[in-house]
Amino acid sequence: VLALPSRVTFYALDRAGEVALAKDLTTIFTFPADTGTPAFKAAVLRMLRSDGGTLRYAVKGATRTAVFARSSFTGWTFAVDFRR
């Protein structure tokens, strides 16, 4: 288990948008764009369409900021986000 502060989350999405790695093990093999708020879905889709960047979105009533980048080797998108 990756030891990060409680307000910080790490995850990796494969090319199809499925969670391949995550701090929260219960999210592995899920498709976050199919769940959650419309804002979260939009954030996930933006990450999948971009090579990297920073974005903000709301999930479970909290604003989160994500920093993400796509691996040129695997095509996966790696993200670290934190709750403000």
Side-chain angles (χ1 to χ4, degrees):
V1 175
L2 187 59
L4 294 172
S6 62
R7 67 185 195 100
V8 178
T9 302
F10 165 81
Y11 50 93
L13 304 169
D14 69 12
R15 294 176 191 194
E18 184 176 12
V19 177
L21 301 170
K23 177 182 174 183
D24 179 356
L25 300 178
T26 64
T27 64
I28 295 175
F29 304 122
T30 65
F31 289 88
D34 294 340
T35 62
T37 65
F40 182 59
K41 179 178 181 172
V44 169
L45 294 175
R46 183 173 163 202
M47 283 188 249
L48 293 173
R49 292 181 185 133
S50 177
D51 289 333
T54 303
L55 56 84
R56 288 193 183 128
Y57 58 94
V59 65
K60 296 182 183 176
T63 299
R64 301 192 70 89
T65 301
V67 178
F68 65 97
R70 178 176 299 124
S71 165
S72 60
F73 181 71
T74 64
W76 291 6
T77 299
F78 294 86
V80 175
D81 76 12
F82 60 93
R83 184 179 66 242
R84 291 201 171 258

